[in-house]
Amino acid sequence: NNQDIKIKFGKDYLYNPIKKHIILGQTASIMSTLHELGHAIIGWSELDACRFSVKLFQQVFPREYSQLEWQGHMLIRKQQ
């Protein structure tokens, strides 16, 4: 049951399925939070968690998404 998922802060970004904890670093972004939520919902696949977080961000924040560009495997703000 995903209702029991807790968010905690630590040094790393990860989802602990045994404790049902999403651990976020001290400088967590909405994208890293969505990524770890993707792991909590979908499972261990890095690719699926990435797809989940990007698609959800794109749908919920279309204006902000339009201001990002891919650099390697990361989305960063476009250079002005």
Side-chain angles (χ1 to χ4, degrees):
N1 183 335
N2 288 339
Q3 291 176 308
D4 299 330
I5 294 172
K6 303 283 188 265
I7 296 177
K8 300 195 176 249
F9 292 92
K11 294 180 183 179
D12 299 316
Y13 295 82
L14 60 97
Y15 173 64
N16 181 326
I18 295 168
K19 293 184 177 181
K20 294 188 177 182
H21 288 167
I22 291 175
I23 310 295
L24 300 173
Q26 297 299 316
T27 59
S29 69
I30 187 67
M31 191 63 81
S32 59
T33 303
L34 291 173
H35 179 86
E36 297 309 327
L37 179 62
H39 281 301
I41 293 170
I42 297 167
W44 289 108
S45 170
E46 247 343 93
L47 185 56
D48 289 342
C50 288
R51 284 181 181 142
F52 171 86
S53 60
V54 171
K55 286 192 174 285
L56 186 55
F57 186 86
Q58 185 179 19
Q59 290 175 11
V60 175
F61 305 104
R63 186 173 46 106
E64 291 80 358
Y65 179 82
S66 72
Q67 297 170 0
L68 301 176
E69 64 185 359
W70 287 99
Q71 267 195 6
H73 73 283
M74 295 179 64
L75 279 170
I76 62 164
R77 287 192 183 114
K78 291 179 182 176
Q79 298 295 323
Q80 300 293 331

